[in-house]
Amino acid sequence: MKPTGKDVDPQDRAFGQRVQKFRKERGRTQAEFAASLGKTSSWLSQVERGVQPVQRMDLLQQIADELGVSVQQLRPHVPADGPSQAPTAQSLSNDLDETRRLLSGHPALRTLLAGHDDSGTVRTLELLKGDVDDLWELTHAGQLAQVSTLAVQLLPGLERTVRTASDEEQPELYLLLSRAYQALSAAFVRQDEADAAWVAADRAVLTAERSGDPLNVCASVFRMVQAFVRLRSLGQAEHAAQTAINALEEQGSQSPTTLSVLGSLHLALALVRARASARTEAKEEIAKARGIAAQLGQNRNDFNLEFGPINVEIQAVSTAVDLGDAGEALDIGLTIDAGELSPERQGRLLMDLGRAHAQRRHGGEALDCLLRAEAIAPEIIQTHQAARAAIRELVLVAGPNASRELLELAERADALD
């Protein structure tokens, strides 16, 4: 898991401080400099705080070139021919760059042209299933360095295997491939890499269709909606969610898996409505999802969507905060026991409760929730603009009376830049 403050490697912290110093000397904002690197502001913020290690020599050289300095000025201990030691487990890169590269171009062009898999590596269906399950477990846990490592190992072989398998095996292999791309889309959303999340979701839709599983197509559309929201393409997000909802409602199935997907899509549409400040429509979508969850009567994890009564209420809290209804968010959120859900869901609830307390000027309660969210799912605090905005507001309100804990949290989240 990504380091969060005290456990940041001193060398990474020193490197980040040098990057920040040179950037500011050149009068460049985080947004401008990040864009020149093809990165997000959140990623650069993490680099400058030492939270996001930069291990790849080509990226290190790109940063140096953009700043007009030498690599040695940025990282004096790095020899001219590159790093001499492997990174420690603590400093594994979480930037998903290798996984982004994996999405570039055709995933198995040599196999497609040759008509067979000449890699010499054959994995059984059961082993591939286990790897995809592991990929989702790591995604839910926010262990993005491990997600990237496993994806780079898994996806090329899976892409080759599905193209050379028998007709009987192909549907299940395409389904595994869709699930893998859905996991990557979710991971990219968590890292605020929305463009890559869109590409991964699009591939998930295509491979789900080839598997013959229409519900997995709809689950993949859910991932695409999340990517569109992060891209602030609310019109596209609305169209994708509503189209899938209409199709499922017309089909009329009342199976638990169908209801789980349908309810998740209503929650996704509620998020879109809230971001568009459409208060009435957002609450209508929450009410529809709440009714579906009541039909299910249990929390499920079909297609890794984590839909059920508890998740609906978590989304209701988030929607209320987005709409500025802090009192409603607290009334709902303080009754939720999310202990059985993934760290991501637990962290999201705590972050939104922190935001609600901040809106009500409950400084102590807001800080407590945000610190607990950081402990469970640090990337939520580090990459989510709403969390950073709440922290910044807490510091401004507290003024000279801001506590050491709050100021340290603001520094880790880079909320004051």
Side-chain angles (χ1 to χ4, degrees):
M1 191 171 288
K2 190 177 292 185
T4 58
K6 295 180 181 178
D7 55 345
V8 167
D9 189 303
Q11 293 182 342
D12 292 327
R13 189 189 300 278
F15 169 76
Q17 289 171 344
R18 291 188 193 98
V19 171
Q20 185 181 65
K21 172 179 176 291
F22 288 125
R23 173 180 63 79
K24 288 185 174 180
E25 285 177 353
R26 284 147 182 78
R28 302 182 71 175
T29 66
Q30 276 191 343
E32 292 169 345
F33 188 59
S36 72
L37 299 171
K39 299 288 189 179
T40 65
S41 298
S42 295
W43 179 88
L44 181 59
S45 168
Q46 293 168 45
V47 168
E48 292 186 348
R49 288 177 281 129
V51 173
Q52 171 62 71
V54 177
Q55 302 295 347
R56 283 183 19 240
M57 196 63 192
D58 62 334
L59 182 55
L60 187 61
Q61 186 67 62
Q62 185 184 4
I63 294 172
D65 290 345
E66 285 290 335
L67 292 171
V69 299
S70 69
V71 170
Q72 294 298 316
Q73 286 175 277
L74 286 179
R75 183 163 283 174
H77 68 284
V78 177
D81 59 351
S84 60
Q85 295 182 349
T88 63
Q90 174 178 295
S91 63
L92 284 172
S93 176
N94 285 269
D95 61 13
L96 295 175
D97 269 11
E98 291 303 314
T99 311
R100 286 182 67 101
R101 217 183 316 275
L102 194 67
L103 296 179
S104 303
H106 194 284
L109 192 55
R110 288 180 61 186
T111 300
L112 186 66
L113 292 172
H116 63 276
D117 184 357
D118 57 0
S119 67
T121 301
V122 178
R123 292 178 63 77
T124 67
L125 189 58
E126 287 306 312
L127 287 175
L128 291 170
K129 284 180 181 177
D131 285 342
V132 174
D133 288 341
D134 289 344
L135 191 65
W136 264 113
E137 185 174 341
L138 292 168
T139 300
H140 280 312
Q143 297 180 20
L144 301 185
Q146 291 87 339
V147 167
S148 189
T149 298
L150 179 54
V152 170
Q153 295 170 351
L154 168 64
L155 276 174
L158 188 50
E159 287 277 12
R160 291 192 301 267
T161 301
V162 75
R163 286 169 169 79
T164 56
S166 66
D167 292 344
E168 292 77 16
E169 293 177 315
Q170 275 194 337
E172 193 159 8
L173 285 166
Y174 271 122
L175 190 57
L176 285 177
L177 197 53
S178 178
R179 290 185 58 220
Y181 278 123
Q182 288 178 51
L184 290 187
S185 183
F188 280 122
V189 164
R190 294 184 68 167
Q191 196 71 338
D192 201 23
E193 300 280 351
D195 57 339
W198 181 5
V199 174
D202 188 59
R203 291 194 179 174
V205 169
L206 177 62
T207 49
E209 182 178 353
R210 289 180 175 173
S211 78
D213 187 336
L215 282 182
N216 241 298
V217 174
C218 294
S220 302
V221 170
F222 173 89
R223 302 296 167 190
M224 189 172 288
V225 173
Q226 299 293 315
F228 282 145
V229 169
R230 280 297 179 108
L231 285 166
R232 296 180 176 84
S233 299
L234 298 184
Q236 289 174 280
E238 178 185 5
H239 176 77
Q242 192 64 67
T243 299
I245 287 170
N246 292 343
L248 286 171
E249 289 178 342
E250 288 172 9
Q251 195 242 354
S253 172
Q254 296 295 303
S255 71
T257 51
T258 301
L259 292 175
S260 183
V261 175
L262 180 60
S264 296
L265 286 164
H266 278 296
L267 290 182
L269 192 51
L271 172 63
V272 176
R273 305 293 197 202
R275 293 293 169 85
S277 300
R279 178 183 302 273
T280 300
E281 293 85 350
K283 291 182 180 296
E284 286 175 354
E285 296 301 327
I286 290 291
K288 291 174 183 177
R290 192 174 275 137
I292 294 171
Q295 277 184 264
L296 283 174
Q298 59 179 318
N299 297 302
R300 299 175 62 90
N301 195 28
D302 301 299
F303 311 107
N304 292 280
L305 294 171
E306 292 190 278
F307 182 78
I310 293 178
N311 201 41
V312 170
E313 300 312 315
I314 290 175
Q315 186 63 50
V317 171
S318 183
T319 300
V321 176
D322 283 345
L323 294 172
D325 297 332
E328 179 181 340
L330 292 172
D331 286 345
I332 298 171
L334 295 177
T335 67
I336 297 174
D337 179 5
E340 295 182 359
L341 300 183
S342 69
E344 188 274 334
R345 291 283 80 199
Q346 296 179 50
R348 180 57 196 254
L349 173 61
L350 286 166
M351 183 198 76
D352 285 329
L353 287 174
R355 293 171 59 206
H357 279 301
Q359 287 180 8
R360 298 293 294 270
R361 297 292 190 266
H362 301 162
E365 292 87 347
L367 177 60
D368 177 67
C369 287
L370 292 167
L371 288 172
R372 288 162 60 198
E374 183 189 36
I376 293 173
E379 73 282 352
I380 288 179
I381 301 300
Q382 294 159 359
T383 66
H384 207 293
Q385 292 297 324
R388 297 167 70 188
I391 295 168
R392 182 167 54 252
E393 181 68 17
L394 288 173
V395 173
L396 292 175
V397 169
N401 297 318
S403 68
R404 179 176 58 83
E405 278 189 315
L406 175 57
L407 292 175
E408 288 177 350
L409 176 62
E411 180 183 357
R412 292 195 298 274
D414 200 22
L416 302 181
D417 187 57

